[in-house]
Each structure stands twice: as structure tokens, then as C-alpha cells.
Amino acid sequence: MTVLLFAGVAERVGARRLAVEVAPGDRVRDVRDRLVAAHPQLEPFLPTLRYALDEEYADEDTPVPAGATLALIPPVSGG
Amino acid sequence: MLIRVTDAPLDPSEAIAAVASPAAGAIDVFLGVVRNENLGRTVDHLVYEAYPSMAEREMEAIAREACARFGVIDCAILHRTGRLAIGETSLVAAVSSGHRAEAFAACRWIVDELKRRVPIWKKEVWSDGEEWIEGPEALERPAPAPPR
């Protein structure tokens, strides 16, 4: 699946887009754990990180549909 | 309902025209503008980054919710991205309603809600460094008391 990174997270990882393998039955947290294993720089962001699946906020328990796009959303600061 | 995330300069009159209605007795407009300091540091400029498609979805949901919750006529929300100099407009929110109280309340709610959930981030750039701002710090400050 495609994972989108933004702002400080993108800078820290050095990428705005990552590809991750997803197994049937995976939830957001499974994908997140795989990402952190591959990119330990994500670790400090975890306590405040939110997630979006196909442009809608999702929590860690949400199942990941095949072909979905996951976005890692650090605390927002628009306005 | 005019909703847009863009890297082009924002024109408040476009938002005002978009919410205008014969039934409106009030149009309230909020502009977010780039300030030259934050927490004691001198800001040189800001850089805004968005997840544009999701940001517009969330802004549209907020506008719809504001119309339903406050009974206002129409809402427009525009947010700019990219590099913004001091004094430039980063956000325009406009609300039309029959009477002013609803427009004031809805406009304030829209801005607060945007700062909570719309996926847009700002980076402060100083003369000697830069930092992504995490979280709507202004929401943690209590609203100032009205003057007597």
C-alpha cells in the first residue's frame, strides 16, 4: 500500500511517500508497526500521530482495505 | 460553499462574494495572517504544507457542519500553502447569516475546528533556524474577556 508522509515526519524520514506490504486482515497498527521497524525515525512521532485511510481519519484498530492509501498525520497547525 | 486549498494568494472579496445572499443580514470574515513573532522569536516567514485533497474534504465537512449547527446561510473557507511572508493571508473564513450573532459564532467555530482537524501544517522559519509547529497552540489559550 502507499503511505503518505507530511511536514516534520516527511523531513525526518526523508520521504513523502513509502510503499509497504500489507497482509489480509491487517489493521492500521500492523502497518504502522512495520513502518516503524523499517524507519525507526518515526518512533518519536508515535504518541501524537493520527492516521487517515483514503482521506478519512481512522484509528489504530481500523482494518486496512486492499489498495488503500494510509496517511500519517502529525498534530495539525493550519490557520 | 466555496472551499479551496491553494498556493496562490487569497482574495477575501472572493469569499465574501461566494457567501453573499439576499437573505443575509450579516457576513462575518476572519483572516489568518502571518505574524512577525511567536513565543518570543522573530519569524522571518512561514511555510504551509497540506494534504490538499483531505484538507478540502475536512474543510467542506466543517462548513456543512457549521451551516447545520449554527443555522447560517453559507460558508467559505480558503487556505493557502507554500511560503508566506509576514502580513500575508494564510486563511479566509467567511460566513453569511440572517443576523450577526450566528455569523460570529459560526466563524469562530470554523477556525477553531480547522485548527483541530484539517491536515495542514506550518513551519516557522527564523533567521537562525526553523521548526514545524505541532498542534493548535492558540486553542490552549483562553478567549480574552470582552472589554467592559
Side-chain angles (χ1 to χ4, degrees), chain B residues 22-50:
Chain B
I27 296 179
D28 190 53
V29 183
F30 174 85
L31 304 184
V33 294
V34 178
R35 190 178 55 231
N36 65 1
E37 71 81 35
N38 195 32
L39 303 174
R41 298 191 74 152
T42 301
V43 174
D44 181 74
H45 65 274
L46 297 181
V47 176
Y48 282 91
E49 178 180 326

PDB file of all heavy atoms in Angstrom, chain B residues 22-50:
ATOM      1  N   PRO B  22     -29.357  37.170  -0.690  1.00  0.00           N
ATOM      2  CA  PRO B  22     -30.398  38.157  -0.379  1.00  0.00           C
ATOM      3  C   PRO B  22     -30.948  37.993   1.041  1.00  0.00           C
ATOM      4  O   PRO B  22     -31.464  38.958   1.620  1.00  0.00           O
ATOM      5  CB  PRO B  22     -31.487  37.868  -1.422  1.00  0.00           C
ATOM      6  CG  PRO B  22     -30.812  37.106  -2.503  1.00  0.00           C
ATOM      7  CD  PRO B  22     -29.693  36.354  -1.863  1.00  0.00           C
ATOM      8  N   ALA B  23     -30.839  36.766   1.598  1.00  0.00           N
ATOM      9  CA  ALA B  23     -31.375  36.519   2.940  1.00  0.00           C
ATOM     10  C   ALA B  23     -30.384  36.907   4.035  1.00  0.00           C
ATOM     11  O   ALA B  23     -30.709  36.831   5.226  1.00  0.00           O
ATOM     12  CB  ALA B  23     -31.747  35.040   3.078  1.00  0.00           C
ATOM     13  N   ALA B  24     -29.171  37.313   3.661  1.00  0.00           N
ATOM     14  CA  ALA B  24     -28.137  37.598   4.659  1.00  0.00           C
ATOM     15  C   ALA B  24     -28.281  39.024   5.200  1.00  0.00           C
ATOM     16  O   ALA B  24     -28.418  39.973   4.438  1.00  0.00           O
ATOM     17  CB  ALA B  24     -26.747  37.417   4.049  1.00  0.00           C
ATOM     18  N   GLY B  25     -28.229  39.126   6.540  1.00  0.00           N
ATOM     19  CA  GLY B  25     -28.162  40.430   7.179  1.00  0.00           C
ATOM     20  C   GLY B  25     -26.773  40.683   7.728  1.00  0.00           C
ATOM     21  O   GLY B  25     -26.473  41.759   8.223  1.00  0.00           O
ATOM     22  N   ALA B  26     -25.909  39.638   7.670  1.00  0.00           N
ATOM     23  CA  ALA B  26     -24.552  39.752   8.203  1.00  0.00           C
ATOM     24  C   ALA B  26     -23.628  38.836   7.429  1.00  0.00           C
ATOM     25  O   ALA B  26     -24.016  37.726   7.041  1.00  0.00           O
ATOM     26  CB  ALA B  26     -24.532  39.366   9.683  1.00  0.00           C
ATOM     27  N   ILE B  27     -22.415  39.317   7.188  1.00  0.00           N
ATOM     28  CA  ILE B  27     -21.340  38.453   6.689  1.00  0.00           C
ATOM     29  C   ILE B  27     -20.148  38.700   7.594  1.00  0.00           C
ATOM     30  O   ILE B  27     -19.684  39.832   7.712  1.00  0.00           O
ATOM     31  CB  ILE B  27     -20.976  38.750   5.218  1.00  0.00           C
ATOM     32  CG1 ILE B  27     -22.164  38.439   4.305  1.00  0.00           C
ATOM     33  CG2 ILE B  27     -19.745  37.934   4.810  1.00  0.00           C
ATOM     34  CD1 ILE B  27     -21.892  38.739   2.820  1.00  0.00           C
ATOM     35  N   ASP B  28     -19.691  37.641   8.267  1.00  0.00           N
ATOM     36  CA  ASP B  28     -18.533  37.753   9.145  1.00  0.00           C
ATOM     37  C   ASP B  28     -17.338  37.139   8.428  1.00  0.00           C
ATOM     38  O   ASP B  28     -17.441  36.059   7.852  1.00  0.00           O
ATOM     39  CB  ASP B  28     -18.788  37.016  10.467  1.00  0.00           C
ATOM     40  CG  ASP B  28     -17.697  37.320  11.479  1.00  0.00           C
ATOM     41  OD1 ASP B  28     -17.430  38.506  11.725  1.00  0.00           O
ATOM     42  OD2 ASP B  28     -17.102  36.367  12.007  1.00  0.00           O
ATOM     43  N   VAL B  29     -16.190  37.833   8.471  1.00  0.00           N
ATOM     44  CA  VAL B  29     -14.997  37.363   7.769  1.00  0.00           C
ATOM     45  C   VAL B  29     -13.835  37.290   8.741  1.00  0.00           C
ATOM     46  O   VAL B  29     -13.599  38.243   9.487  1.00  0.00           O
ATOM     47  CB  VAL B  29     -14.625  38.322   6.615  1.00  0.00           C
ATOM     48  CG1 VAL B  29     -13.419  37.787   5.851  1.00  0.00           C
ATOM     49  CG2 VAL B  29     -15.801  38.519   5.678  1.00  0.00           C
ATOM     50  N   PHE B  30     -13.135  36.176   8.737  1.00  0.00           N
ATOM     51  CA  PHE B  30     -11.920  36.045   9.533  1.00  0.00           C
ATOM     52  C   PHE B  30     -10.742  35.862   8.586  1.00  0.00           C
ATOM     53  O   PHE B  30     -10.810  35.056   7.659  1.00  0.00           O
ATOM     54  CB  PHE B  30     -12.000  34.836  10.469  1.00  0.00           C
ATOM     55  CG  PHE B  30     -10.700  34.581  11.194  1.00  0.00           C
ATOM     56  CD1 PHE B  30     -10.408  35.261  12.370  1.00  0.00           C
ATOM     57  CD2 PHE B  30      -9.759  33.687  10.680  1.00  0.00           C
ATOM     58  CE1 PHE B  30      -9.193  35.047  13.023  1.00  0.00           C
ATOM     59  CE2 PHE B  30      -8.547  33.473  11.331  1.00  0.00           C
ATOM     60  CZ  PHE B  30      -8.272  34.153  12.506  1.00  0.00           C
ATOM     61  N   LEU B  31      -9.659  36.605   8.844  1.00  0.00           N
ATOM     62  CA  LEU B  31      -8.418  36.410   8.102  1.00  0.00           C
ATOM     63  C   LEU B  31      -7.339  35.951   9.071  1.00  0.00           C
ATOM     64  O   LEU B  31      -7.121  36.588  10.101  1.00  0.00           O
ATOM     65  CB  LEU B  31      -7.948  37.719   7.444  1.00  0.00           C
ATOM     66  CG  LEU B  31      -8.905  38.443   6.503  1.00  0.00           C
ATOM     67  CD1 LEU B  31      -8.198  39.659   5.904  1.00  0.00           C
ATOM     68  CD2 LEU B  31      -9.394  37.514   5.406  1.00  0.00           C
ATOM     69  N   GLY B  32      -6.687  34.866   8.748  1.00  0.00           N
ATOM     70  CA  GLY B  32      -5.472  34.485   9.464  1.00  0.00           C
ATOM     71  C   GLY B  32      -4.304  35.092   8.702  1.00  0.00           C
ATOM     72  O   GLY B  32      -4.195  34.891   7.492  1.00  0.00           O
ATOM     73  N   VAL B  33      -3.456  35.849   9.400  1.00  0.00           N
ATOM     74  CA  VAL B  33      -2.331  36.499   8.724  1.00  0.00           C
ATOM     75  C   VAL B  33      -1.020  36.136   9.427  1.00  0.00           C
ATOM     76  O   VAL B  33      -1.022  35.769  10.605  1.00  0.00           O
ATOM     77  CB  VAL B  33      -2.497  38.037   8.675  1.00  0.00           C
ATOM     78  CG1 VAL B  33      -3.685  38.419   7.813  1.00  0.00           C
ATOM     79  CG2 VAL B  33      -2.643  38.615  10.060  1.00  0.00           C
ATOM     80  N   VAL B  34       0.060  36.238   8.717  1.00  0.00           N
ATOM     81  CA  VAL B  34       1.361  35.805   9.231  1.00  0.00           C
ATOM     82  C   VAL B  34       1.945  36.881  10.139  1.00  0.00           C
ATOM     83  O   VAL B  34       2.147  38.021   9.723  1.00  0.00           O
ATOM     84  CB  VAL B  34       2.334  35.505   8.070  1.00  0.00           C
ATOM     85  CG1 VAL B  34       3.695  35.095   8.614  1.00  0.00           C
ATOM     86  CG2 VAL B  34       1.760  34.422   7.164  1.00  0.00           C
ATOM     87  N   ARG B  35       2.190  36.491  11.411  1.00  0.00           N
ATOM     88  CA  ARG B  35       2.715  37.403  12.436  1.00  0.00           C
ATOM     89  C   ARG B  35       4.241  37.334  12.459  1.00  0.00           C
ATOM     90  O   ARG B  35       4.831  36.300  12.162  1.00  0.00           O
ATOM     91  CB  ARG B  35       2.141  36.964  13.783  1.00  0.00           C
ATOM     92  CG  ARG B  35       2.385  37.916  14.929  1.00  0.00           C
ATOM     93  CD  ARG B  35       1.708  37.388  16.205  1.00  0.00           C
ATOM     94  NE  ARG B  35       2.161  36.037  16.503  1.00  0.00           N
ATOM     95  CZ  ARG B  35       1.336  35.015  16.742  1.00  0.00           C
ATOM     96  NH1 ARG B  35       0.037  35.182  16.736  1.00  0.00           N
ATOM     97  NH2 ARG B  35       1.820  33.820  17.009  1.00  0.00           N
ATOM     98  N   ASN B  36       4.853  38.447  12.894  1.00  0.00           N
ATOM     99  CA  ASN B  36       6.316  38.514  12.825  1.00  0.00           C
ATOM    100  C   ASN B  36       7.029  37.910  14.023  1.00  0.00           C
ATOM    101  O   ASN B  36       8.258  37.935  14.103  1.00  0.00           O
ATOM    102  CB  ASN B  36       6.772  39.968  12.624  1.00  0.00           C
ATOM    103  CG  ASN B  36       6.425  40.842  13.830  1.00  0.00           C
ATOM    104  OD1 ASN B  36       5.854  40.361  14.817  1.00  0.00           O
ATOM    105  ND2 ASN B  36       6.754  42.115  13.750  1.00  0.00           N
ATOM    106  N   GLU B  37       6.249  37.367  14.991  1.00  0.00           N
ATOM    107  CA  GLU B  37       6.934  36.727  16.127  1.00  0.00           C
ATOM    108  C   GLU B  37       6.067  35.611  16.682  1.00  0.00           C
ATOM    109  O   GLU B  37       4.847  35.594  16.512  1.00  0.00           O
ATOM    110  CB  GLU B  37       7.228  37.740  17.233  1.00  0.00           C
ATOM    111  CG  GLU B  37       6.034  38.264  18.023  1.00  0.00           C
ATOM    112  CD  GLU B  37       5.529  37.334  19.140  1.00  0.00           C
ATOM    113  OE1 GLU B  37       6.361  36.662  19.772  1.00  0.00           O
ATOM    114  OE2 GLU B  37       4.296  37.268  19.341  1.00  0.00           O
ATOM    115  N   ASN B  38       6.700  34.635  17.311  1.00  0.00           N
ATOM    116  CA  ASN B  38       5.957  33.599  18.019  1.00  0.00           C
ATOM    117  C   ASN B  38       6.781  33.137  19.210  1.00  0.00           C
ATOM    118  O   ASN B  38       7.947  32.780  19.052  1.00  0.00           O
ATOM    119  CB  ASN B  38       5.635  32.418  17.099  1.00  0.00           C
ATOM    120  CG  ASN B  38       4.574  31.523  17.710  1.00  0.00           C
ATOM    121  OD1 ASN B  38       3.699  31.984  18.423  1.00  0.00           O
ATOM    122  ND2 ASN B  38       4.666  30.234  17.437  1.00  0.00           N
ATOM    123  N   LEU B  39       6.175  33.164  20.396  1.00  0.00           N
ATOM    124  CA  LEU B  39       6.845  32.722  21.614  1.00  0.00           C
ATOM    125  C   LEU B  39       8.208  33.396  21.771  1.00  0.00           C
ATOM    126  O   LEU B  39       9.199  32.769  22.133  1.00  0.00           O
ATOM    127  CB  LEU B  39       6.995  31.192  21.621  1.00  0.00           C
ATOM    128  CG  LEU B  39       5.667  30.426  21.470  1.00  0.00           C
ATOM    129  CD1 LEU B  39       5.922  28.923  21.348  1.00  0.00           C
ATOM    130  CD2 LEU B  39       4.746  30.698  22.660  1.00  0.00           C
ATOM    131  N   GLY B  40       8.240  34.692  21.442  1.00  0.00           N
ATOM    132  CA  GLY B  40       9.450  35.470  21.669  1.00  0.00           C
ATOM    133  C   GLY B  40      10.490  35.387  20.567  1.00  0.00           C
ATOM    134  O   GLY B  40      11.527  36.035  20.651  1.00  0.00           O
ATOM    135  N   ARG B  41      10.214  34.600  19.546  1.00  0.00           N
ATOM    136  CA  ARG B  41      11.196  34.509  18.456  1.00  0.00           C
ATOM    137  C   ARG B  41      10.711  35.308  17.262  1.00  0.00           C
ATOM    138  O   ARG B  41       9.513  35.348  16.960  1.00  0.00           O
ATOM    139  CB  ARG B  41      11.391  33.052  18.025  1.00  0.00           C
ATOM    140  CG  ARG B  41      11.931  32.193  19.138  1.00  0.00           C
ATOM    141  CD  ARG B  41      12.370  30.854  18.612  1.00  0.00           C
ATOM    142  NE  ARG B  41      13.616  30.960  17.876  1.00  0.00           N
ATOM    143  CZ  ARG B  41      14.481  29.952  17.772  1.00  0.00           C
ATOM    144  NH1 ARG B  41      14.234  28.811  18.343  1.00  0.00           N
ATOM    145  NH2 ARG B  41      15.587  30.100  17.069  1.00  0.00           N
ATOM    146  N   THR B  42      11.651  35.931  16.561  1.00  0.00           N
ATOM    147  CA  THR B  42      11.321  36.724  15.384  1.00  0.00           C
ATOM    148  C   THR B  42      11.154  35.795  14.183  1.00  0.00           C
ATOM    149  O   THR B  42      12.068  35.049  13.836  1.00  0.00           O
ATOM    150  CB  THR B  42      12.430  37.748  15.093  1.00  0.00           C
ATOM    151  OG1 THR B  42      12.562  38.578  16.253  1.00  0.00           O
ATOM    152  CG2 THR B  42      12.081  38.601  13.885  1.00  0.00           C
ATOM    153  N   VAL B  43       9.955  35.830  13.604  1.00  0.00           N
ATOM    154  CA  VAL B  43       9.657  34.957  12.475  1.00  0.00           C
ATOM    155  C   VAL B  43      10.014  35.681  11.173  1.00  0.00           C
ATOM    156  O   VAL B  43       9.622  36.823  10.955  1.00  0.00           O
ATOM    157  CB  VAL B  43       8.165  34.572  12.474  1.00  0.00           C
ATOM    158  CG1 VAL B  43       7.800  33.771  11.226  1.00  0.00           C
ATOM    159  CG2 VAL B  43       7.829  33.776  13.732  1.00  0.00           C
ATOM    160  N   ASP B  44      10.754  34.991  10.311  1.00  0.00           N
ATOM    161  CA  ASP B  44      11.106  35.573   9.008  1.00  0.00           C
ATOM    162  C   ASP B  44       9.998  35.314   7.988  1.00  0.00           C
ATOM    163  O   ASP B  44       9.556  36.201   7.282  1.00  0.00           O
ATOM    164  CB  ASP B  44      12.425  34.970   8.506  1.00  0.00           C
ATOM    165  CG  ASP B  44      12.828  35.574   7.182  1.00  0.00           C
ATOM    166  OD1 ASP B  44      13.278  36.734   7.188  1.00  0.00           O
ATOM    167  OD2 ASP B  44      12.661  34.905   6.135  1.00  0.00           O
ATOM    168  N   HIS B  45       9.532  34.063   7.921  1.00  0.00           N
ATOM    169  CA  HIS B  45       8.390  33.716   7.081  1.00  0.00           C
ATOM    170  C   HIS B  45       7.851  32.359   7.524  1.00  0.00           C
ATOM    171  O   HIS B  45       8.457  31.686   8.357  1.00  0.00           O
ATOM    172  CB  HIS B  45       8.767  33.694   5.591  1.00  0.00           C
ATOM    173  CG  HIS B  45       9.767  32.622   5.217  1.00  0.00           C
ATOM    174  ND1 HIS B  45      11.118  32.811   5.316  1.00  0.00           N
ATOM    175  CD2 HIS B  45       9.595  31.361   4.760  1.00  0.00           C
ATOM    176  CE1 HIS B  45      11.748  31.702   4.912  1.00  0.00           C
ATOM    177  NE2 HIS B  45      10.840  30.806   4.586  1.00  0.00           N
ATOM    178  N   LEU B  46       6.701  31.970   6.982  1.00  0.00           N
ATOM    179  CA  LEU B  46       6.115  30.667   7.283  1.00  0.00           C
ATOM    180  C   LEU B  46       6.027  29.847   6.003  1.00  0.00           C
ATOM    181  O   LEU B  46       5.923  30.402   4.907  1.00  0.00           O
ATOM    182  CB  LEU B  46       4.703  30.804   7.849  1.00  0.00           C
ATOM    183  CG  LEU B  46       4.529  31.520   9.185  1.00  0.00           C
ATOM    184  CD1 LEU B  46       3.052  31.516   9.577  1.00  0.00           C
ATOM    185  CD2 LEU B  46       5.354  30.855  10.279  1.00  0.00           C
ATOM    186  N   VAL B  47       6.057  28.531   6.172  1.00  0.00           N
ATOM    187  CA  VAL B  47       5.808  27.625   5.052  1.00  0.00           C
ATOM    188  C   VAL B  47       4.647  26.724   5.460  1.00  0.00           C
ATOM    189  O   VAL B  47       4.709  26.066   6.501  1.00  0.00           O
ATOM    190  CB  VAL B  47       7.050  26.767   4.727  1.00  0.00           C
ATOM    191  CG1 VAL B  47       6.725  25.768   3.621  1.00  0.00           C
ATOM    192  CG2 VAL B  47       8.226  27.647   4.327  1.00  0.00           C
ATOM    193  N   TYR B  48       3.579  26.746   4.687  1.00  0.00           N
ATOM    194  CA  TYR B  48       2.432  25.878   4.961  1.00  0.00           C
ATOM    195  C   TYR B  48       2.436  24.703   4.000  1.00  0.00           C
ATOM    196  O   TYR B  48       2.628  24.863   2.796  1.00  0.00           O
ATOM    197  CB  TYR B  48       1.114  26.639   4.773  1.00  0.00           C
ATOM    198  CG  TYR B  48       0.745  27.549   5.908  1.00  0.00           C
ATOM    199  CD1 TYR B  48       1.143  28.877   5.908  1.00  0.00           C
ATOM    200  CD2 TYR B  48      -0.009  27.083   6.979  1.00  0.00           C
ATOM    201  CE1 TYR B  48       0.792  29.730   6.951  1.00  0.00           C
ATOM    202  CE2 TYR B  48      -0.361  27.920   8.024  1.00  0.00           C
ATOM    203  CZ  TYR B  48       0.042  29.242   8.003  1.00  0.00           C
ATOM    204  OH  TYR B  48      -0.304  30.066   9.038  1.00  0.00           O
ATOM    205  N   GLU B  49       2.199  23.519   4.574  1.00  0.00           N
ATOM    206  CA  GLU B  49       2.091  22.307   3.762  1.00  0.00           C
ATOM    207  C   GLU B  49       0.738  21.673   4.057  1.00  0.00           C
ATOM    208  O   GLU B  49       0.275  21.697   5.196  1.00  0.00           O
ATOM    209  CB  GLU B  49       3.216  21.335   4.140  1.00  0.00           C
ATOM    210  CG  GLU B  49       3.162  20.019   3.398  1.00  0.00           C
ATOM    211  CD  GLU B  49       4.297  19.085   3.810  1.00  0.00           C
ATOM    212  OE1 GLU B  49       5.406  19.577   4.101  1.00  0.00           O
ATOM    213  OE2 GLU B  49       4.062  17.865   3.847  1.00  0.00           O
ATOM    214  N   ALA B  50       0.100  21.106   3.037  1.00  0.00           N
ATOM    215  CA  ALA B  50      -1.210  20.480   3.228  1.00  0.00           C
ATOM    216  C   ALA B  50      -1.227  19.090   2.607  1.00  0.00           C
ATOM    217  O   ALA B  50      -0.424  18.767   1.738  1.00  0.00           O
ATOM    218  CB  ALA B  50      -2.299  21.331   2.580  1.00  0.00           C
TER     219      ALA B  50
END
